[in-house]
Amino acid sequence: MTDPWQECMDHCVEIAKQAGKVIREALQDDIAVMHKSSQVDLVTETDQRVERLIISSIRAKFPTHSFIAEESVAAGAPSILTDDPTWIIDPIDGTTNFVHGFPFVSVSIGFTVKKEIEFGVVYSCIEDKMYTARKGKGAFCNGLPIKVSGQEDLSRCLVLTEVAFKKDQQQLDTMMANLRSVLTIPVHGIRSPGSAAINMCLVASGAADAYYHLGIHCWDMAGGTAVLTEAGGVIVDVSGGPFDLMSRRLIAASSAAVAERLASHIVDFHVGRDDALGSEKN
Amino acid sequence: MTDIWQSAMDHAVVLARKAGQVVRDAVGDAQKEAVMVKSSSIDLVTQTDQKVEKLIIQSVKEKFPTHCFIGEESVAAGEVCVLTDSPTWIIDPIDGTTNFVHTFPFVAISIGFSVNKQVEFGVVYSCLQDQMYTARRGKGAFCNGRPLRVSHQKDIRQAIIATEFGSNRDPGVVDKVFSSLKRVVSIPVHGVRGAGSAAINMCLVASGCVEAYYEIGIHVWDIAAGSLIVSEAGGVLMDVDGGPLDLMSRRVLAANNQSVAEHLAKEIDAFRVRRDDAAS
């Protein structure tokens, strides 16, 4: 029986490769940086160009499909997840890394139908690692199967998270307190690679055991969710409850035991939702 | 005029590459490998650390029988750790042992060579990325043969800062680590990153990927090679309190220029740790 979404997935891999090439070439030049919501929320002309390239290529082949894409949303497009076949796109995940030439930069594309993720592609383009996953068919990196570490003991985990400037003092304090609470469990270590999609793939491939984050977006998580789940990993809300793609928060882990225990160390703070209206977004 | 230390440096590069192969072969099995602990449950060491250090030291001893050594695992086993004027090989067989155990991609072999207490050459081989960083004093810094240059950024608010949490979980120490981190994040900077290997963090400064790196609690073998790679790429080195770098002090601040370095030093809540050359 043919897979109705195989053609979409094949096209997705192709376009991710092309986008990765554009990004690598842009790294050779000086990069003019613009700001979005704050002086640490960066965007470049390459983000915008790559997103246009991806969307126009998909529209040409699949004209009835919908999109939720980072730069389009920043320009005012809605970000509500419907039952439509929907491409959820981050053209450059790790823009700060891109601007600085720090090696974790990815193109992240997740595809949903009836609000369920059917496949995901994350192309870590400086490392040239293509992570792919089709629902029910496993996860791969450059064609080789990948699996989570299976670690069940949080005190033997390498944990990923990101440290970012917060204008709100209370949020900054809570972020620091969470970091400290996790660090002093103690875990083996905490690392900050700088790309949410790549962080999910690092957990999926067993190079790290858990990743938690409050304040990312659905386009950062959609591709990686497929890869992590198909690699045998677990993804939940920071409260330990069910994962919500539009909630702007997640725990990705090598096992349910690690996810649950990690959740008990994290105090949440308000990050808004991707599908909130107007000013509630931030 | 021939460089009297060129053959030593060439040998260091060959050894680093060989050691890198040993590490790559072991990394697949690293999760099954017996992981031992040193000063605490999170200060990890493996048989591969010990095997690689023996390999390097034995080979250097054959070629350069009068030279001295400061090697991480030898010191852990009781060898003296004092820097003299003698030609000295300062070795970290696996910088990023925690990363190695987890197969997280930043694992390096670090070999620094000093004479009269001055680093003459440095070799850092990031073996999972196959990136060979080298520097010879006065002759520039390179990665896989490509010359390295630090970032041009003068404004710390547009900088990425690298740092680590270290392996000391003493609450007083953790307080200071977090106090510094909060101050640095709030400058604000573009971002804070942690690769998990001091030697690689220093090479990231040298290659312009991050503007600065600071840490308290590392060792001379983590920074000897990297310190020359940073300075030969045009960067600056200092102590975390803004004073001159002291290789045995277990504190380091490496940056792309003086202005970023000084601004960063003001934000760091410095504290003292037991020196590498403290009498036991």
Side-chain angles (χ1 to χ4, degrees), chain B residues 119-142:
Chain B
V119 181
E120 288 292 334
F121 67 75
V123 172
V124 172
Y125 183 39
S126 174
C127 57
L128 300 185
Q129 304 177 291
D130 191 21
Q131 284 174 350
M132 180 70 74
Y133 295 89
T134 57
R136 173 80 182 94
R137 191 160 62 88
K139 296 197 174 155
F142 300 84

Side-chain angles (χ1 to χ4, degrees), chain A residues 53-70:
Chain A
L53 171 109
I54 296 174
I55 291 180
S56 61
S57 168
I58 294 170
R59 266 206 179 115
K61 241 177 130 64
F62 309 103
T64 60
H65 289 188
S66 298
F67 298 90
I68 296 176
E70 176 167 21

Side-chain angles (χ1 to χ4, degrees), chain A residues 97 100 173 180 188 191 209, chain B residues 99 102 175 182 190 193:
Chain A
N97 285 355
H100 288 263
D173 288 342
R180 184 176 181 146
H188 271 183
R191 303 284 180 264
D209 307 290
Chain B
N99 286 355
H102 286 270
D175 280 346
K182 186 172 169 181
H190 268 183
R193 301 285 180 265

Side-chain angles (χ1 to χ4, degrees), chain B residues 72-91:
Chain B
E72 174 169 19
E73 305 316 327
S74 315
V75 167
E79 291 282 343
V80 144
C81 179
V82 173
L83 190 60
T84 67
D85 288 344
S86 302
T88 305
W89 296 69
I90 305 170
I91 301 159

Side-chain angles (χ1 to χ4, degrees), chain A residues 16-17 20 24 105-107 121-125 128-131:
Chain A
K17 250 189 229 154
R24 276 193 303 270
V105 178
S106 64
V107 181
V121 169
V122 174
Y123 181 38
S124 174
C125 55
D128 192 21
K129 287 186 176 163
M130 179 69 75
Y131 294 93

